[in-house]
Amino acid sequence: MVATLHVCTTCRRAGEVPEDEIRPGAALHAALEGLDCPEGLRIVPVECLSACTQGCSVALSAPGKWSYVYGRLGPADAATVLEGAALYAQSADGLVPWRARPEIFRKQSLARIPPQALTPEE
Amino acid sequence: MVATLHVCTTCRRAGEVPEDEIRPGAALHAALEGLDCPEGLRIVPVECLSACTQGCSVALSAPGKWSYVYGRLGPADAATVLEGAALYAQSADGLVPWRARPEIFRKQSLARIPPQALTPEE
């Protein structure tokens, strides 16, 4: 099952950005697209992940797995984000062992959400 | 399809809590359980939503809908959280009109994640 890395392309990175300049979120998305995409992952741009004060932000999700949101990112973090995303894509439930996670994934998690299937539907 | 309100029961609300005292997250969960649960919603306790510096936190999710995480909550917010969660449960895609959302849901969103089905699987 393919994992999705949603990238907020409207993020201003907690600052005002002139209308005619590229947004930091769009720059992060471009940096990610400029690298080899890990197997089992797809990169999808999205307008606003509602983490505006903690931007730039990305979200990792996949059917049946925990979802994660990471923040305070910039284009220079692109390779590290993909490294962590590759481990997530390979994991069974989205829970990558703590020590295996890149430092960004250990220290810049904004939130995580359990999978839908963790508890039975009523 | 039932929507899920995950409640972090281990939240310390950004403070140290003595081992023998009830955690603020557990108190929020108890306050939510003490109220009538809206139709189409279930409340599920979870250990850690990785939003520790912004606790107490809850997450709203449902198959095919946007997921949301809210933070900086306390037991006094329980009724308002359920009011917003009821609107979420009734919505088709998780997107409740801005003006209809309780103030907590407008101002204390930590992040949101698009539904799995928003973009086609490869």
Side-chain angles (χ1 to χ4, degrees), chain B residues 37-58:
Chain B
C37 188
E39 195 175 344
L41 185 77
R42 59 180 184 159
I43 298 171
V44 178
V46 60
E47 291 192 359
C48 197
L49 291 171
S50 286
C52 311
T53 61
Q54 301 285 325
C56 300
S57 62
V58 302

Side-chain angles (χ1 to χ4, degrees), chain B:
Chain B
M1 198 74 78
V2 173
T4 303
L5 179 71
H6 280 105
V7 184
C8 177
T9 57
T10 47
C11 260
R12 296 171 185 273
R13 208 173 182 182
E16 280 303 311
V17 178
E19 280 303 317
D20 57 347
E21 278 188 20
I22 187 170
R23 297 235 181 151
L28 173 59
H29 179 247
L32 290 162
E33 290 286 7
L35 299 171
D36 286 337
C37 188
E39 195 175 344
L41 185 77
R42 59 180 184 159
I43 298 171
V44 178
V46 60
E47 291 192 359
C48 197
L49 291 171
S50 286
C52 311
T53 61
Q54 301 285 325
C56 300
S57 62
V58 302
L60 272 172
S61 58
K65 295 190 185 185
W66 285 75
S67 303
Y68 283 84
V69 185
Y70 299 100
R72 303 188 295 280
L73 302 170
D77 299 316
T80 309
V81 167
L82 289 187
E83 180 193 326
L87 295 171
Y88 176 89
Q90 292 160 19
S91 72
D93 52 10
L95 299 171
V96 175
W98 184 262
R99 288 186 180 193
R101 298 180 198 180
E103 190 171 339
I104 285 175
F105 280 29
R106 293 199 302 266
K107 297 190 173 174
Q108 290 169 229
S109 166
L110 301 186
R112 64 175 191 166
I113 304 177
Q116 296 293 336
L118 191 67
T119 47
E121 286 286 337
E122 282 170 7

